[in-house]
Amino acid sequence: MTSKPGLLARLFSRGNKAPVVASLAAAVLNQPLMVQPAIGEALVGGYLEGKVTSADSVLKADRFEVAGESGETVGVAQTMIGVINLSGAMVNRPMPGASGPGPVSYAAVRDAFDELLEDNAVTSIILRLDTPGGMASGCFDLVDHIYLARGRKPVYALVDDHAYSAGFALATACDEIWVSRTGGVGSVGVVCYHYDWSGNNAQIGLKVTPLFAGDRKIDFNPNFPLSEEAQAAAMADLEGMRTLFVDSVARNLGMDSAAVLATQAGCYRGQAAVDIGFATRLGTWHDLVAHLGAGGAPAPLAARDPESDEEPDSSATQPRAAVAAAATAPPADGGPGAAAAIAAAATASELPPALVVAVLKRPLQPGESAQAAIEYASAVQDACAAVLRGDVSLAASFIETNTDLDTVRAQLLSMKAEEGRSTQVVTAHPAPKADQRAADIKAQLDPTNIYKKRGN
C-alpha cells in the first residue's frame, strides 16, 4: 500500500530524488489550504516526515496544431492550440531549493497563460488539470486574472483526472469545463491544520518557554495546545475564505451562491459533475482535441474591461449552469441549467440541510421543474415525520434514491406495523435505532439486493 508521504511525492513532482525545501512546511501548517481533505492530511504528514520530494516541476506553455475535419493540418493561425499541463499541488510563488524548482506556483501558471493569450498564432487555450488543489494564498488572484480574459480567445479546462478545491477554482474561470467519466471536481471549501507537539515534548523531557509580546503572538505555535480564542479566530478566517471561494465559483459558473454553498465541499465525478453544474460536458483529451479540430468553440463571450467594476451580463458571458429564470418552468434539456435551478430552489427552501444535500444528489428527472423537485422532497419529509419525528436520515435516503411516494408510504406503513407489534413507541425512537432503520431501508432499495430477490 502506498504511504501518504509517497502519494504526496507523486502529487508534487515527477521524481523522487531529494526532499522538498523546508520552507514549504511553513506554507502548509497553520495556513488556509484549498485541497481535497484526505490529500491535505497526507500533505501535512509528508512534510512532518520529511519525505515529500520535488524534482522537475517546471511549468511550460506547449503549442501544437490540430488536424481539421479532412484530416489534413489547417493553417497555423486557425488551429494552433496552447496547452498548460498542471499536475500536483500548487503554491503561491516559486519555492526553488536544493530539491529543484519545487511545486507548481500560481505565478508560473499566470506567466504561461499570459504567454499563450498574447500569442496571436494560438486560437484556443487548454488548461489541463490533474491537481488536488493547493494554497489559498494567491489562488483567487489567478482565478480573477483568467476570468477577466474571457472573450479574448476560448479557454477550456480539461479535468483528467481531478481538479479539486483550488484546482476547481481555476477551472471555473475558464469558458468551459470538460471532465472525463472518472474525473472529479468540486471540494469548494477551505481547511487548515494545527499540529500540537506539546505532548511529545513532555514525553522526551523538552520544555518550551515562550517569550513574546502581544496576546495573539503564539496562537498557533505547535509547542502549545490551540486555545479556544485562537481556534475561533481561525474558524472566522476560514469562513471568510470559504465565502470568497463560493462567491467566485458562483460568479464564474453563473450559479447561485447558496447552491454552491449547499454542496458543503462535496466532490462530484463525471456525469454527476455535469448534473450539479460544476462541469460543461463529459469528454477526454482526445474528445476536446477532436472538438477543436472540427471548429468547435464555446458560446461567444462578451469582452470584459479590466478597468471597469461592472459585471458582464450573465446571459452573454455564462455559457453553462445558469440558474433557471423561474423555478416553475420545466427545464428544456435537463442539463446543468436544470441542476443549478433545483439546487438554488433547494437552498432557498425550508428543507433541513440534510434534505437539501439529498436533493442535490438525487438524479435529475426529465421535464421536472425545480418547484416539483422541492414538493417531492417536502412530501417525503412529511411522510417520514409520522414515523420518525425530528429525524431526517430516512427521508434523505428516500430522496437520494428517488423513491416514489407510493413506495415511501408502503415502506413506512410496513415499518409502523412492525413497530406496533413491539413495545417501542413509533414516534419516540432513539437516534441510533432510527439511523439503523434508515440504513436498512436504503439497503432494501439497493439495485443489487433487488436483483438478488428477483433471482430467487
Side-chain angles (χ1 to χ4, degrees):
M1 180 178 292
T2 303
S3 66
K4 288 183 178 180
L7 167 65
L8 199 50
R10 293 203 300 273
L11 294 174
F12 267 102
S13 68
R14 299 180 182 86
N16 189 20
K17 300 178 181 179
V20 160
V21 290
S23 61
L24 278 174
V28 175
L29 296 175
N30 300 326
Q31 298 295 325
L33 302 175
M34 294 165 58
V35 293
Q36 197 270 351
I39 300 177
E41 182 182 351
L43 185 148
V44 174
Y47 281 132
L48 296 180
E49 295 181 36
K51 296 180 181 180
V52 181
T53 63
S54 176
D56 177 21
S57 56
V58 176
L59 193 74
K60 293 188 296 184
D62 298 323
R63 298 167 176 79
F64 65 94
E65 297 177 36
V66 177
E69 292 181 346
S70 63
E72 299 178 358
T73 301
V74 190
V76 173
Q78 298 179 352
T79 57
M80 182 71 75
I81 297 175
V83 181
I84 302 174
N85 287 286
L86 199 165
S87 298
M90 300 173 288
V91 295
N92 186 11
R93 293 186 296 275
M95 294 183 176
S99 63
V104 172
S105 68
Y106 300 132
V109 176
R110 176 169 179 154
D111 289 343
F113 178 78
D114 287 347
E115 178 186 329
L116 296 175
L117 194 64
E118 299 301 329
D119 187 345
N120 293 329
V122 174
T123 58
S124 299
I125 300 174
I126 298 176
L127 186 60
R128 193 172 184 182
L129 300 166
D130 186 14
T131 172
M135 293 175 60
S137 177
C139 177
F140 297 111
D141 296 329
L142 178 58
V143 169
D144 289 346
H145 183 71
I146 297 174
Y147 176 77
L148 289 172
R150 283 186 173 185
R152 295 184 58 179
K153 60 181 62 175
V155 181
Y156 297 83
L158 176 68
V159 180
D160 64 347
D161 204 27
H162 54 260
Y164 292 125
S165 216
F168 179 58
L170 297 183
T172 65
C174 301
D175 299 322
E176 289 188 4
I177 302 176
W178 289 47
V179 61
S180 64
R181 289 177 297 173
T182 57
V185 296
S187 192
V188 184
V190 189
V191 64
C192 183
Y193 296 91
H194 173 262
Y195 270 61
D196 179 3
W197 297 331
S198 59
N200 182 69
N201 291 346
Q203 287 183 351
I204 63 176
L206 175 64
K207 181 179 181 180
V208 179
T209 302
L211 304 174
F212 61 98
D215 292 342
R216 307 265 70 86
K217 193 62 179 177
I218 62 168
D219 271 353
F220 302 98
N221 190 295
N223 293 295
F224 306 98
L226 192 64
S227 68
E228 293 182 2
E229 294 81 1
Q231 183 171 350
M235 288 305 303
D237 182 50
L238 292 180
E239 284 297 339
M241 193 75 69
R242 181 172 72 151
T243 298
L244 176 60
F245 193 178
V246 167
D247 290 345
S248 296
V249 169
R251 175 199 65 183
N252 296 349
L253 298 182
M255 296 178 66
D256 187 277
S257 293
V260 179
L261 185 63
T263 64
Q264 290 296 327
C267 299
Y268 302 88
R269 190 184 300 275
Q271 185 60 48
V274 177
D275 292 341
I276 201 66
F278 278 5
T280 310
R281 59 186 291 181
L282 293 179
T284 64
W285 163 256
H286 298 290
D287 294 332
L288 179 52
V289 170
H291 173 75
L292 295 176
L301 299 177
R304 177 75 182 274
D305 181 3
E307 298 182 358
S308 173
D309 292 331
E310 295 183 2
E311 291 287 336
D313 180 4
S314 60
S315 63
T317 59
Q318 305 299 341
R320 62 182 182 274
V323 178
T328 56
D333 58 2
I342 291 175
T347 53
S349 70
E350 296 181 354
L351 292 173
L355 298 192
V356 171
V357 173
V359 171
L360 295 179
K361 292 182 178 180
R362 175 177 174 251
L364 286 175
Q365 304 303 303
E368 182 183 55
S369 68
Q371 179 178 345
I374 303 307
E375 289 176 350
Y376 160 78
S378 298
V380 172
Q381 179 189 15
D382 292 343
C384 292
V387 177
L388 299 173
R389 289 183 180 175
D391 185 88
V392 297
S393 59
L394 182 59
S397 67
F398 279 135
I399 295 170
E400 188 174 332
T401 54
N402 193 40
T403 308
D404 65 86
L405 283 174
D406 289 340
T407 302
V408 170
R409 295 186 179 104
Q411 293 281 358
L412 293 174
L413 287 175
S414 176
M415 291 168 57
K416 189 172 183 178
E418 292 178 4
E419 293 295 338
R421 288 191 290 270
S422 70
T423 58
Q424 300 273 347
V425 179
V426 172
T427 58
H429 295 294
K433 199 169 185 64
D435 292 341
Q436 181 59 49
R437 288 206 312 280
D440 293 340
I441 293 298
K442 191 171 183 178
Q444 292 175 22
L445 298 175
D446 185 88
T448 302
N449 293 332
I450 294 175
Y451 292 143
K452 287 182 179 178
K453 291 179 180 179
R454 289 178 178 176
N456 296 330

